[in-house]
Amino acid sequence: MKDREESSSSSSGTSRNNNNPNGIINGEHEPREINIRSFSSVPSSPRNASSKYDFVKVKVWLGDNADHYYVLSRFLVCRMLTVTKIPNHEAIKISLELKKLLIDNSLLDVSQSDLETNLFKLMERRGYGEEYINRYNMMTKFHHQRVPLVILVCGTACVGKSTIATQLAQRLNLPNVLQTDMVYELLRTATDAPLTSTPVWTREFASSEELITEFCRECRIVRKGLGGDLKKAMKDGKPIIIEGRHLDPSIYLMNDENKAPSNDSEKSSAETNSSSDLTSDKNPEAGSSNMKETENSTMEPHSHDEAMASTEAMDQSEKVTQSESSRDAEKKSKSADGSGKTKSGPEPIVISIVLKMSEFDHKALLEEWISSRTSGEKYTSKEKDRLITNLKTIEDYLCSFNSQGVTVVNISATTFPQTLDWLHNYLLQRIEEGIRSSENEAPK
Protein backbone atom coordinates (compact mmCIF):
# COMPACT_ATOMS: atom_id res chain seq x y z
CA MET A 1 0.00 0.00 0.00
CA LYS A 2 1.48 3.35 -0.99
CA ASP A 3 1.86 5.78 1.87
CA ARG A 4 0.81 8.86 -0.08
CA GLU A 5 -1.06 11.86 1.32
CA GLU A 6 -4.73 12.30 0.46
CA SER A 7 -4.06 15.20 -1.89
CA SER A 8 -7.13 14.90 -4.12
CA SER A 9 -9.69 17.44 -2.95
CA SER A 10 -12.27 16.50 -5.59
CA SER A 11 -12.61 12.84 -4.64
CA SER A 12 -16.03 11.30 -5.07
CA GLY A 13 -15.96 10.18 -1.47
CA THR A 14 -16.48 13.75 -0.22
CA SER A 15 -20.05 13.73 -1.59
CA ARG A 16 -21.19 11.96 1.58
CA ASN A 17 -21.54 15.34 3.27
CA ASN A 18 -24.32 16.25 0.76
CA ASN A 19 -26.05 12.87 0.66
CA ASN A 20 -26.04 12.40 4.40
CA PRO A 21 -25.89 15.72 6.21
CA ASN A 22 -26.34 13.96 9.52
CA GLY A 23 -22.95 12.37 9.00
CA ILE A 24 -21.29 15.47 10.40
CA ILE A 25 -20.77 14.80 14.03
CA ASN A 26 -20.97 17.47 16.69
CA GLY A 27 -19.83 17.35 20.28
CA GLU A 28 -23.25 16.72 21.76
CA HIS A 29 -23.26 12.93 21.67
CA GLU A 30 -21.17 10.10 22.98
CA PRO A 31 -18.08 9.25 20.88
CA ARG A 32 -19.01 6.81 18.14
CA GLU A 33 -17.05 3.58 18.08
CA ILE A 34 -16.70 1.33 15.06
CA ASN A 35 -16.87 -2.45 15.19
CA ILE A 36 -13.28 -3.29 14.33
CA ARG A 37 -12.73 -6.45 12.33
CA SER A 38 -9.66 -8.62 12.68
CA PHE A 39 -6.61 -7.21 10.94
CA SER A 40 -6.49 -10.09 8.47
CA SER A 41 -10.00 -9.31 7.21
CA VAL A 42 -9.17 -5.72 6.28
CA PRO A 43 -8.83 -5.74 2.47
CA SER A 44 -5.62 -4.58 0.91
CA SER A 45 -4.80 -3.72 -2.67
CA PRO A 46 -2.10 -5.42 -4.74
CA ARG A 47 1.37 -4.00 -4.50
CA ASN A 48 1.97 -0.85 -6.56
CA ALA A 49 -1.77 -0.59 -7.33
CA SER A 50 -3.85 2.46 -6.48
CA SER A 51 -6.84 2.09 -4.19
CA LYS A 52 -9.63 4.18 -2.73
CA TYR A 53 -7.67 4.55 0.50
CA ASP A 54 -5.09 6.67 -1.34
CA PHE A 55 -7.55 9.20 -2.72
CA VAL A 56 -10.67 9.40 -0.57
CA LYS A 57 -10.37 12.18 1.95
CA VAL A 58 -11.80 12.09 5.44
CA LYS A 59 -12.85 15.34 7.11
CA VAL A 60 -12.18 15.60 10.85
CA TRP A 61 -14.41 18.23 12.44
CA LEU A 62 -13.36 20.39 15.38
CA GLY A 63 -15.28 22.43 17.91
CA ASP A 64 -18.56 21.89 19.71
CA ASN A 65 -20.52 23.00 16.67
CA ALA A 66 -18.27 21.23 14.14
CA ASP A 67 -17.54 24.54 12.41
CA HIS A 68 -13.92 23.75 11.44
CA TYR A 69 -12.34 20.71 9.91
CA TYR A 70 -9.03 19.37 8.65
CA VAL A 71 -8.35 16.52 6.21
CA LEU A 72 -7.05 13.37 7.88
CA SER A 73 -3.38 12.71 7.10
CA ARG A 74 -1.98 9.25 7.71
CA PHE A 75 1.50 10.75 7.76
CA LEU A 76 0.66 13.16 10.60
CA VAL A 77 -1.12 10.45 12.56
CA CYS A 78 1.96 8.27 12.15
CA ARG A 79 4.24 11.07 13.38
CA MET A 80 2.05 11.65 16.42
CA LEU A 81 2.11 7.95 17.27
CA THR A 82 5.90 7.91 16.96
CA VAL A 83 6.06 10.67 19.59
CA THR A 84 4.34 8.33 22.06
CA LYS A 85 7.26 5.88 21.59
CA ILE A 86 5.39 3.50 19.28
CA PRO A 87 7.93 2.12 16.74
CA ASN A 88 7.71 3.76 13.33
CA HIS A 89 6.76 0.58 11.45
CA GLU A 90 3.91 -0.06 13.89
CA ALA A 91 2.76 3.56 13.69
CA ILE A 92 2.52 3.28 9.90
CA LYS A 93 0.32 0.18 10.19
CA ILE A 94 -1.98 1.75 12.80
CA SER A 95 -2.46 4.94 10.78
CA LEU A 96 -3.29 2.89 7.69
CA GLU A 97 -5.75 0.71 9.61
CA LEU A 98 -7.46 3.86 10.93
CA LYS A 99 -7.93 5.26 7.42
CA LYS A 100 -9.27 1.92 6.13
CA LEU A 101 -11.61 1.61 9.08
CA LEU A 102 -13.20 4.99 8.51
CA ILE A 103 -13.58 4.60 4.75
CA ASP A 104 -14.92 1.03 4.91
CA ASN A 105 -17.58 2.24 7.35
CA SER A 106 -18.40 5.26 5.12
CA LEU A 107 -17.32 7.72 7.81
CA LEU A 108 -15.98 10.52 5.65
CA ASP A 109 -17.06 13.17 8.18
CA VAL A 110 -15.98 12.39 11.73
CA SER A 111 -15.41 14.39 14.89
CA GLN A 112 -12.01 14.62 16.55
CA SER A 113 -13.27 12.72 19.61
CA ASP A 114 -14.64 9.88 17.43
CA LEU A 115 -11.39 9.74 15.51
CA GLU A 116 -9.34 9.44 18.70
CA THR A 117 -11.72 6.88 20.21
CA ASN A 118 -11.22 4.54 17.28
CA LEU A 119 -7.50 5.30 17.07
CA PHE A 120 -7.08 4.31 20.70
CA LYS A 121 -8.95 1.05 20.07
CA LEU A 122 -6.53 0.21 17.26
CA MET A 123 -3.58 1.07 19.48
CA GLU A 124 -4.85 -1.22 22.22
CA ARG A 125 -5.40 -4.04 19.74
CA ARG A 126 -1.70 -3.89 18.89
CA GLY A 127 -0.62 -3.80 22.52
CA TYR A 128 -0.16 -0.04 22.95
CA GLY A 129 -2.61 0.68 25.73
CA GLU A 130 -3.05 3.18 28.53
CA GLU A 131 0.59 4.29 28.81
CA TYR A 132 0.77 5.23 25.13
CA ILE A 133 -2.71 6.77 25.09
CA ASN A 134 -1.76 9.00 28.02
CA ARG A 135 1.34 10.16 26.15
CA TYR A 136 -0.78 10.90 23.09
CA ASN A 137 -3.20 13.00 25.15
CA MET A 138 -0.34 14.76 26.92
CA MET A 139 1.38 15.76 23.67
CA THR A 140 -1.95 16.86 22.18
CA LYS A 141 -2.44 19.14 25.17
CA PHE A 142 1.14 20.40 24.81
CA HIS A 143 0.54 21.47 21.20
CA HIS A 144 -2.88 22.98 21.96
CA GLN A 145 -1.52 25.07 24.85
CA ARG A 146 1.41 26.22 22.68
CA VAL A 147 3.90 25.85 25.52
CA PRO A 148 7.30 27.27 24.48
CA LEU A 149 9.95 24.54 24.49
CA VAL A 150 13.71 25.04 24.09
CA ILE A 151 15.99 21.97 24.01
CA LEU A 152 19.74 22.60 24.15
CA VAL A 153 22.12 19.87 22.97
CA CYS A 154 25.55 20.98 24.20
CA GLY A 155 28.97 19.40 23.85
CA THR A 156 32.36 19.69 22.18
CA ALA A 157 33.37 18.43 18.74
CA CYS A 158 32.64 14.84 17.68
CA VAL A 159 30.29 13.76 20.47
CA GLY A 160 27.17 13.27 18.32
CA LYS A 161 25.30 16.54 18.89
CA SER A 162 23.89 16.82 15.36
CA THR A 163 22.90 13.14 15.26
CA ILE A 164 21.16 13.30 18.64
CA ALA A 165 19.37 16.56 17.79
CA THR A 166 18.15 15.21 14.44
CA GLN A 167 16.95 11.93 15.92
CA LEU A 168 15.13 13.67 18.78
CA ALA A 169 13.50 16.09 16.34
CA GLN A 170 12.17 13.15 14.31
CA ARG A 171 10.96 11.22 17.33
CA LEU A 172 9.24 14.21 18.97
CA ASN A 173 7.98 15.68 15.68
CA LEU A 174 9.81 18.97 16.28
CA PRO A 175 10.65 20.64 12.95
CA ASN A 176 12.90 23.48 14.16
CA VAL A 177 16.57 22.61 14.69
CA LEU A 178 19.18 25.40 14.84
CA GLN A 179 22.93 24.91 14.62
CA THR A 180 25.22 27.33 16.40
CA ASP A 181 28.02 26.61 13.92
CA MET A 182 26.02 28.27 11.16
CA VAL A 183 25.17 31.25 13.36
CA TYR A 184 28.84 31.61 14.31
CA GLU A 185 29.93 31.71 10.67
CA LEU A 186 27.22 34.22 9.74
CA LEU A 187 28.19 36.52 12.61
CA ARG A 188 31.88 36.17 11.85
CA THR A 189 31.51 37.14 8.19
CA ALA A 190 28.52 39.51 8.22
CA THR A 191 28.96 41.66 11.33
CA ASP A 192 31.62 43.48 13.33
CA ALA A 193 31.38 40.96 16.14
CA PRO A 194 34.84 40.13 17.52
CA LEU A 195 34.92 36.57 16.22
CA THR A 196 37.86 34.95 14.50
CA SER A 197 38.10 32.23 11.89
CA THR A 198 40.31 30.24 14.25
CA PRO A 199 38.21 28.14 16.68
CA VAL A 200 38.78 28.92 20.33
CA TRP A 201 39.85 25.33 21.09
CA THR A 202 42.76 25.52 18.62
CA ARG A 203 44.29 28.65 20.14
CA GLU A 204 46.94 28.82 22.82
CA PHE A 205 46.04 30.26 26.21
CA ALA A 206 48.09 30.94 29.31
CA SER A 207 45.63 29.07 31.51
CA SER A 208 42.40 27.08 31.37
CA GLU A 209 40.62 30.04 32.97
CA GLU A 210 41.49 32.23 30.00
CA LEU A 211 40.22 29.54 27.63
CA ILE A 212 36.87 29.30 29.42
CA THR A 213 36.58 33.10 29.54
CA GLU A 214 37.02 33.32 25.76
CA PHE A 215 34.68 30.38 25.18
CA CYS A 216 31.95 32.04 27.26
CA ARG A 217 32.44 35.33 25.41
CA GLU A 218 31.94 33.67 22.03
CA CYS A 219 28.91 31.77 23.34
CA ARG A 220 27.32 35.05 24.39
CA ILE A 221 27.84 36.52 20.93
CA VAL A 222 26.22 33.48 19.35
CA ARG A 223 23.38 33.74 21.89
CA LYS A 224 22.67 37.29 20.68
CA GLY A 225 22.60 35.98 17.11
CA LEU A 226 19.94 33.46 18.14
CA GLY A 227 17.87 36.14 19.89
CA GLY A 228 15.35 36.57 17.08
CA ASP A 229 14.65 32.85 16.75
CA LEU A 230 14.28 32.44 20.50
CA LYS A 231 11.93 35.42 20.84
CA LYS A 232 9.75 34.06 18.04
CA ALA A 233 9.68 30.63 19.67
CA MET A 234 8.65 32.21 22.99
CA LYS A 235 5.99 34.39 21.36
CA ASP A 236 4.45 31.76 19.09
CA GLY A 237 4.83 28.85 21.50
CA LYS A 238 6.82 26.81 19.00
CA PRO A 239 9.35 24.19 20.14
CA ILE A 240 12.95 24.57 19.05
CA ILE A 241 16.11 22.44 19.34
CA ILE A 242 19.49 24.21 19.42
CA GLU A 243 22.68 22.19 19.01
CA GLY A 244 26.31 23.08 18.55
CA ARG A 245 29.71 23.75 20.05
CA HIS A 246 28.95 27.32 21.13
CA LEU A 247 26.34 26.61 23.78
CA ASP A 248 26.92 27.68 27.38
CA PRO A 249 24.00 26.36 29.50
CA SER A 250 24.27 29.22 32.01
CA ILE A 251 23.26 31.74 29.31
CA TYR A 252 20.06 29.93 28.40
CA LEU A 253 18.84 28.97 31.86
CA MET A 254 15.80 31.21 32.12
CA ASN A 255 14.69 32.51 35.48
CA ASP A 256 11.31 33.80 36.55
CA GLU A 257 10.52 37.09 34.83
CA ASN A 258 9.39 38.54 38.15
CA LYS A 259 12.81 37.94 39.69
CA ALA A 260 15.71 40.26 38.96
CA PRO A 261 18.89 38.35 38.05
CA SER A 262 21.66 38.41 40.59
CA ASN A 263 24.90 40.25 39.81
CA ASP A 264 26.95 38.76 42.63
CA SER A 265 28.85 36.21 40.60
CA GLU A 266 28.50 33.95 37.58
CA LYS A 267 27.97 30.89 39.71
CA SER A 268 25.19 32.37 41.84
CA SER A 269 23.45 33.64 38.70
CA ALA A 270 23.60 30.22 37.06
CA GLU A 271 22.30 28.54 40.20
CA THR A 272 19.39 31.00 40.52
CA ASN A 273 18.40 30.56 36.90
CA SER A 274 18.71 26.79 36.87
CA SER A 275 16.70 26.30 40.05
CA SER A 276 13.60 27.86 38.48
CA ASP A 277 13.49 25.89 35.23
CA LEU A 278 15.56 22.75 35.52
CA THR A 279 15.02 19.67 37.63
CA SER A 280 17.68 17.47 39.13
CA ASP A 281 16.84 14.38 37.05
CA LYS A 282 19.85 12.17 36.53
CA ASN A 283 20.68 9.97 33.56
CA PRO A 284 21.29 6.40 34.70
CA GLU A 285 23.70 5.85 31.81
CA ALA A 286 25.73 8.92 32.64
CA GLY A 287 26.55 8.01 36.23
CA SER A 288 30.22 7.48 35.50
CA SER A 289 30.43 10.80 33.68
CA ASN A 290 28.94 12.92 36.45
CA MET A 291 31.63 14.97 38.13
CA LYS A 292 32.10 15.05 41.88
CA GLU A 293 30.55 17.92 43.79
CA THR A 294 33.90 19.10 45.04
CA GLU A 295 35.24 19.13 41.52
CA ASN A 296 32.21 21.08 40.30
CA SER A 297 32.50 23.65 43.06
CA THR A 298 36.12 24.34 42.20
CA MET A 299 35.68 24.30 38.45
CA GLU A 300 35.93 28.08 38.20
CA PRO A 301 38.49 29.63 40.59
CA HIS A 302 38.07 33.12 42.02
CA SER A 303 40.39 34.59 39.41
CA HIS A 304 38.12 33.31 36.67
CA ASP A 305 35.09 34.91 38.33
CA GLU A 306 36.90 38.24 38.39
CA ALA A 307 37.85 37.89 34.74
CA MET A 308 34.21 37.20 33.85
CA ALA A 309 32.73 39.99 36.01
CA SER A 310 32.47 42.67 33.34
CA THR A 311 31.18 40.25 30.70
CA GLU A 312 28.64 38.81 33.12
CA ALA A 313 27.38 42.28 34.05
CA MET A 314 26.76 43.04 30.36
CA ASP A 315 24.96 39.74 29.91
CA GLN A 316 22.79 40.29 32.99
CA SER A 317 21.86 43.74 31.71
CA GLU A 318 20.86 42.16 28.41
CA LYS A 319 18.74 39.57 30.23
CA VAL A 320 16.90 42.32 32.15
CA THR A 321 16.27 44.25 28.93
CA GLN A 322 15.03 41.14 27.12
CA SER A 323 12.83 40.20 30.08
CA GLU A 324 11.25 43.66 30.18
CA SER A 325 10.72 43.81 26.41
CA SER A 326 9.25 40.31 26.49
CA ARG A 327 6.75 41.35 29.16
CA ASP A 328 5.82 44.48 27.25
CA ALA A 329 5.28 42.54 24.03
CA GLU A 330 3.20 39.98 25.88
CA LYS A 331 1.00 42.68 27.41
CA LYS A 332 0.39 44.19 23.99
CA SER A 333 -0.39 40.87 22.31
CA LYS A 334 -2.76 39.61 25.01
CA SER A 335 -6.28 41.02 25.12
CA ALA A 336 -7.31 42.58 28.41
CA ASP A 337 -10.54 41.67 30.20
CA GLY A 338 -12.98 44.07 31.87
CA SER A 339 -10.80 44.43 34.97
CA GLY A 340 -7.79 45.45 32.91
CA LYS A 341 -5.89 42.26 33.75
CA THR A 342 -3.90 40.44 31.11
CA LYS A 343 -3.44 36.71 30.79
CA SER A 344 0.14 35.55 30.95
CA GLY A 345 1.35 32.87 28.57
CA PRO A 346 2.55 29.45 29.69
CA GLU A 347 5.99 29.26 31.25
CA PRO A 348 8.69 28.13 28.78
CA ILE A 349 10.24 24.70 29.21
CA VAL A 350 14.04 24.89 28.91
CA ILE A 351 15.91 21.57 28.83
CA SER A 352 19.72 21.52 28.68
CA ILE A 353 21.58 18.33 27.76
CA VAL A 354 25.38 17.99 27.71
CA LEU A 355 26.82 15.14 25.66
CA LYS A 356 30.17 13.57 26.45
CA MET A 357 32.10 10.52 25.34
CA SER A 358 34.72 8.29 26.89
CA GLU A 359 38.20 9.80 26.58
CA PHE A 360 39.57 6.95 24.45
CA ASP A 361 36.71 6.96 21.91
CA HIS A 362 36.58 10.73 21.81
CA LYS A 363 40.30 11.04 21.14
CA ALA A 364 40.08 8.57 18.25
CA LEU A 365 37.20 10.49 16.66
CA LEU A 366 38.97 13.81 17.19
CA GLU A 367 42.12 12.62 15.44
CA GLU A 368 40.03 11.50 12.46
CA TRP A 369 38.14 14.80 12.51
CA ILE A 370 41.38 16.81 12.64
CA SER A 371 42.90 14.94 9.71
CA SER A 372 39.75 15.43 7.59
CA ARG A 373 39.55 19.18 8.28
CA THR A 374 43.19 20.16 7.86
CA SER A 375 43.43 18.99 4.22
CA GLY A 376 47.00 19.61 3.08
CA GLU A 377 47.94 21.60 6.17
CA LYS A 378 48.89 19.18 8.90
CA TYR A 379 48.79 19.87 12.61
CA THR A 380 51.93 19.14 14.56
CA SER A 381 51.79 16.69 17.42
CA LYS A 382 51.96 19.58 19.88
CA GLU A 383 49.05 21.37 18.19
CA LYS A 384 46.94 18.22 18.25
CA ASP A 385 47.63 17.72 21.94
CA ARG A 386 46.71 21.34 22.66
CA LEU A 387 43.44 21.02 20.72
CA ILE A 388 42.44 17.84 22.55
CA THR A 389 43.39 19.36 25.91
CA ASN A 390 41.37 22.52 25.19
CA LEU A 391 38.31 20.50 24.20
CA LYS A 392 38.62 18.46 27.39
CA THR A 393 38.75 21.68 29.43
CA ILE A 394 35.61 22.99 27.73
CA GLU A 395 33.87 19.63 28.24
CA ASP A 396 34.69 19.72 31.97
CA TYR A 397 33.22 23.21 32.17
CA LEU A 398 29.99 22.10 30.46
CA CYS A 399 29.72 19.00 32.66
CA SER A 400 30.13 21.15 35.77
CA PHE A 401 26.52 22.30 35.30
CA ASN A 402 25.42 18.78 36.19
CA SER A 403 25.37 19.84 39.85
CA GLN A 404 22.86 22.56 38.91
CA GLY A 405 20.38 20.24 37.21
CA VAL A 406 21.73 20.02 33.66
CA THR A 407 21.68 16.42 32.43
CA VAL A 408 25.01 14.94 31.32
CA VAL A 409 24.66 12.02 28.90
CA ASN A 410 27.34 9.49 28.03
CA ILE A 411 27.42 8.73 24.30
CA SER A 412 28.70 5.37 23.08
CA ALA A 413 28.36 3.61 19.73
CA THR A 414 27.43 0.36 21.45
CA THR A 415 24.60 1.86 23.54
CA PHE A 416 23.42 4.63 21.22
CA PRO A 417 19.88 3.24 20.63
CA GLN A 418 19.34 2.81 24.38
CA THR A 419 20.63 6.32 25.05
CA LEU A 420 18.28 7.72 22.41
CA ASP A 421 15.35 5.86 23.96
CA TRP A 422 16.28 7.22 27.39
CA LEU A 423 16.46 10.79 26.06
CA HIS A 424 13.09 10.38 24.31
CA ASN A 425 11.48 9.28 27.55
CA TYR A 426 13.30 11.95 29.58
CA LEU A 427 12.08 14.77 27.31
CA LEU A 428 8.50 13.48 27.47
CA GLN A 429 8.72 13.55 31.27
CA ARG A 430 10.08 17.10 31.26
CA ILE A 431 7.34 18.26 28.87
CA GLU A 432 4.69 16.68 31.10
CA GLU A 433 6.17 18.43 34.15
CA GLY A 434 6.14 21.73 32.27
CA ILE A 435 2.47 21.32 31.28
CA ARG A 436 1.51 20.42 34.85
CA SER A 437 3.39 23.43 36.19
CA SER A 438 1.73 25.69 33.61
CA GLU A 439 -1.71 24.43 34.60
CA ASN A 440 -1.00 24.97 38.32
CA GLU A 441 0.19 28.54 37.74
CA ALA A 442 -2.66 29.47 35.40
CA PRO A 443 -5.09 32.03 36.93
CA LYS A 444 -8.41 30.55 38.00
Side-chain angles (χ1 to χ4, degrees), residues 201-212:
W201 42 85
T202 63
R203 302 177 219 160
E204 187 172 1
F205 296 92
S207 64
S208 59
E209 287 76 22
E210 287 187 12
L211 167 62
I212 297 301

Side-chain angles (χ1 to χ4, degrees), residues 37 75 82 100 133 137 151 166 200 216 239 278 297 387 437:
R37 292 175 289 173
F75 173 75
T82 304
K100 286 183 175 182
I133 293 173
N137 290 329
I151 300 175
T166 302
V200 62
C216 293
L278 296 174
S297 62
L387 184 148
S437 175

Side-chain angles (χ1 to χ4, degrees), residues 257-324:
E257 289 185 352
N258 297 323
K259 298 178 182 178
S262 172
N263 290 315
D264 294 340
S265 66
E266 181 181 32
K267 183 177 179 180
S268 63
S269 172
E271 290 176 347
T272 302
N273 291 338
S274 64
S275 63
S276 62
D277 283 283
L278 296 174
T279 62
S280 58
D281 293 5
K282 297 295 186 295
N283 178 5
E285 294 182 317
S288 61
S289 66
N290 297 341
M291 303 178 67
K292 297 180 180 179
E293 292 184 3
T294 56
E295 185 177 350
N296 288 329
S297 62
T298 59
M299 182 61 209
E300 300 179 50
H302 184 65
S303 59
H304 174 53
D305 286 338
E306 292 178 345
M308 291 291 293
S310 59
T311 307
E312 178 68 16
M314 292 174 59
D315 185 60
Q316 298 292 2
S317 176
E318 179 190 359
K319 287 182 180 180
V320 174
T321 303
Q322 290 179 350
S323 178
E324 292 175 351

